[in-house]
Amino acid sequence: MTATLLYIARASLYLALFYAFYLLVMRRTSFFRFNRIALLLGTAACHLLPLLRLRTVILPEIAVPVSLETLEEIGQSAGASAPSFPWLALLYAAGVLTVVVLCLVSAFRTGRIIRSGSPQPYEGCRLTLVEGNVPSFSWGRRVVMSRSDYEKYPAILAHELQHIRAHHSLDVLLMTAVAAVHWFNPLVWIARAELRLLHEYEADEGLIRQGIDATSYQLLLVRKAVGEQRFSLANGFNHAKLKQRIAMMHKNQTPGWMRLAYLAVLPFLAGTMFLCNPARAEIRSASPQDQNKSLPYSQVENKPTFQGGDVNTFSKWVSQHLNYPAEAKDAGIQGRVTIGFDVCEDGAVRNVKVLRSVHELLDAEAVRVISASPKWEPGTKDGKPVSVTYTFPVIFQVRGGNQAARSDADEQEKPAAGNAVDGVVVVSYGKNAGASDYPKTATIQIRSNGAGDPLLYLDGVKFTGSIGDIDPSTISSMEVLKDEDAVKKYGEEAKNGVILITTKKQ
């Protein structure tokens, strides 16, 4: 739900920027139909912009893959906090529900008025005449007006027909839906009212072009403007502000080049996209200057070390500090996030960036942990400390079955022997198996509590050797079974867990 609310908030920001531009620049121009179309297209565009992602990623020419592949939930710690009650989501849903209920009430009132009249066909639409003093309005292909107005004021019927021919009801439906989604944004409601006003301008302009006397028509507007109720979902003869409508009838034609003013809003929308981009906000992309300072792994004489060990040690540290985002876990979001970073001359980890994204939640967690890395012992070349470039793929994978739903408390209550194997970490060096300029060593480590060794199955056959005897470069996938799942499938000897290894097909 958080991702949905974040999308709505970004879209609302774009809408506020676009509508503010319209109110400040284009509101008083005489491009009634053009402005109407621009408002509708701009509203649609503002809902598409949050779906775009601007990521500035500069890939190093040569980078050493140092893989951390965790086939269990990575870094699920006992100290992970429980998700809080979704007050914000409930508040938002309550606002949407309120707007929807109000719209349904308005539709019910409108329908009741329609049912009380006498329908009859009229010039491709349905005309409903109602007894009594009812304000005229149109909806869809239907015009509703009082019988007295129909007999005395043919201009009112002509005005409502203009609404029908221009399909203004569709605009009202669209903007009502937008207002329901963005009920908290006052500019959305103002823009909705402005679109209704454009409908009236367009209908008034259509009548005047048909040759109706402008003065008589304006007097009719004044006469019908006092004391009549309104229907919020329908296009009514008296919906708009009277003074503005009459002023627009007397307004000189706006120069055509003013339509190009809409181009002025594009840089502001683009800038907002850049500022709202989560990857840009959290991850600093490497500049060409930074790349020139960092050397590929293969060109460094003495490689950087981490806490007295090599990248295997760093892999263990990352594994211990990663927390699987609760929202991503609940949604079943998983996959490989590839992170790039530099171990600089002073041993600090900098220029952390996402080279291959899965989802912003997983991206942010991987970046957070690697950015918090303690200092390394820097690598050296010609006896001088140098910055070294790494890439670091991290695989997030949700547990299958019921284990994905277990709480931290459930895990703590299990006996130690029932949770011997926590996961498998594969740490490998080398661009590929045949690269001669990279170290070819590799290790496979089992995270466990020491209760006993798990069973090994290689390509569906029980493997009696050590896991260290398996070449990691030949592995296609691994799966870990624990506790009841393991014992149920492989018997009591699987009480310490089972590791299922599948090798690559030759």
Side-chain angles (χ1 to χ4, degrees):
M1 187 63 180
T2 301
T4 302
L5 293 179
L6 184 60
Y7 163 79
I8 293 173
R10 289 173 181 160
S12 194
L13 177 61
Y14 293 130
L15 287 173
L17 181 64
F18 178 70
Y19 291 156
F21 168 82
Y22 172 81
L23 294 173
L24 293 173
V25 180
M26 303 301 294
R27 183 184 192 184
R28 300 195 181 280
T29 60
S30 60
F31 310 128
F32 307 136
R33 178 165 297 184
F34 182 82
N35 282 341
R36 170 196 166 202
I37 295 174
L39 274 180
L40 295 174
L41 293 180
T43 299
C46 288
H47 285 84
L48 294 177
L49 291 179
L51 301 177
L52 302 179
R53 289 288 182 267
L54 296 176
R55 294 186 182 275
T56 305
V57 178
I58 303 175
L59 296 175
E61 293 183 0
I62 303 177
V64 182
V66 183
S67 303
L68 171 66
E69 300 184 4
T70 305
L71 301 181
E72 283 288 327
E73 294 180 15
I74 298 181
Q76 184 175 359
S77 62
S81 59
S84 59
F85 194 77
W87 292 109
L88 184 60
L90 289 179
L91 176 63
Y92 172 76
V96 174
L97 181 61
T98 301
V99 175
V100 172
V101 169
L102 291 176
C103 291
L104 291 176
V105 170
S106 176
F108 175 78
R109 291 175 53 205
T110 303
R112 187 171 58 183
I113 294 294
I114 293 174
R115 288 190 297 272
S116 68
S118 302
Q120 60 187 61
Y122 184 89
E123 294 187 7
C125 67
R126 291 185 65 83
L127 174 62
T128 300
L129 299 179
V130 181
E131 303 298 335
N133 187 21
V134 176
S136 303
F137 63 90
S138 61
W139 181 249
R141 303 295 301 176
R142 184 185 298 273
V143 176
V144 179
M145 60 189 305
S146 67
R147 189 176 298 276
S148 60
D149 284 346
Y150 174 71
E151 296 171 352
K152 295 178 183 179
Y153 309 115
I156 296 180
L157 178 58
H159 176 93
E160 300 304 336
L161 290 175
Q162 291 290 327
H163 285 304
I164 290 177
R165 291 166 185 154
H167 305 289
H168 288 162
S169 297
L170 296 179
D171 299 2
V172 175
L173 278 177
L174 173 64
M175 289 304 293
T176 299
V178 172
V181 174
H182 302 277
W183 57 266
F184 54 88
N185 189 338
L187 282 177
V188 172
W189 293 96
I190 294 174
R192 180 173 177 262
E194 286 297 316
L195 183 62
R196 304 284 294 271
L197 195 54
L198 283 174
H199 291 168
E200 301 302 328
Y201 292 159
E202 192 175 359
D204 293 340
E205 183 181 49
L207 279 186
I208 293 175
R209 286 181 178 177
Q210 288 180 0
I212 191 174
D213 182 71
T215 302
S216 300
Y217 180 63
Q218 292 165 11
L219 289 175
L220 176 61
L221 290 178
V222 174
R223 184 180 299 113
K224 301 298 295 181
V226 181
E228 295 180 340
Q229 67 185 94
R230 300 165 183 253
F231 300 93
S232 64
L233 283 181
N235 295 104
F237 185 70
N238 185 39
H239 269 188
K241 298 178 181 179
L242 179 60
K243 184 178 178 180
Q244 291 177 257
R245 289 175 64 181
I246 295 177
M248 278 297 180
M249 293 182 201
H250 293 282
K251 185 177 181 64
N252 294 329
Q253 189 72 19
T254 305
W257 60 265
M258 272 294 294
R259 293 185 177 90
L260 298 177
Y262 277 105
L263 297 177
V265 77
L266 298 180
F268 295 98
L269 292 176
T272 305
M273 285 182 62
F274 184 80
L275 293 175
C276 290
N277 177 30
R280 186 70 182 185
E282 298 181 27
I283 305 167
R284 187 177 74 87
S285 300
S287 64
Q289 184 178 4
D290 291 334
Q291 284 191 322
N292 292 334
K293 292 181 179 179
S294 295
L295 296 177
Y297 182 89
S298 61
Q299 297 182 10
V300 180
E301 297 172 355
N302 297 309
K303 316 301 181 187
T305 59
F306 180 79
Q307 297 182 347
D310 54 13
V311 183
N312 288 341
T313 307
F314 180 64
S315 299
K316 296 176 184 177
W317 183 89
V318 171
S319 168
Q320 294 168 357
H321 290 80
L322 278 170
N323 292 319
Y324 210 119
E327 184 179 351
K329 180 175 65 175
D330 294 341
I333 301 172
Q334 55 186 343
R336 177 190 297 264
V337 179
T338 303
I339 302 295
F341 66 90
D342 295 338
V343 176
C344 298
E345 294 92 333
D346 60 354
V349 171
R350 298 191 179 95
N351 300 331
V352 181
K353 52 190 175 290
V354 173
L355 303 182
R356 181 179 182 273
S357 171
V358 173
H359 186 275
E360 59 188 28
L361 293 174
L362 302 187
D363 298 351
E365 175 61 16
V367 169
R368 179 191 69 80
V369 173
I370 293 179
S371 298
S373 167
K375 283 192 174 183
W376 296 48
E377 186 68 28
T380 60
K381 183 177 182 180
D382 299 329
K384 298 180 180 180
V386 293
S387 180
V388 180
T389 299
Y390 285 89
T391 61
F392 203 90
V394 179
I395 292 181
F396 290 84
Q397 183 170 347
V398 181
R399 289 178 183 172
N402 296 328
Q403 293 191 23
R406 286 177 177 162
S407 65
D408 294 330
D410 293 332
E411 293 292 334
Q412 293 171 2
E413 292 173 359
K414 296 175 186 176
N419 193 22
V421 55
D422 285 333
V424 180
V425 177
V426 178
V427 183
S428 62
Y429 295 86
K431 196 169 187 180
N432 51 58
S436 59
D437 54 344
Y438 292 92
K440 298 180 182 178
T441 59
T443 62
I444 306 176
Q445 302 167 356
I446 301 177
R447 293 196 311 229
S448 68
N449 59 16
D453 294 331
L455 288 179
L456 297 179
Y457 274 79
L458 183 63
D459 293 327
V461 179
K462 185 175 179 181
F463 185 71
T464 57
S466 169
I467 195 171
D469 299 333
I470 302 174
D471 183 0
S473 65
T474 65
I475 295 176
S476 173
S477 65
M478 291 192 293
E479 180 182 0
V480 175
L481 298 180
K482 301 190 300 183
D483 307 322
E484 295 178 2
D485 289 344
V487 174
K488 183 177 180 180
K489 189 171 183 179
Y490 292 95
E492 186 62 26
E493 64 177 344
K495 64 181 180 180
N496 293 324
V498 180
I499 301 176
L500 307 176
I501 301 176
T502 303
T503 58
K504 300 175 183 177
K505 304 301 181 182
Q506 300 296 328

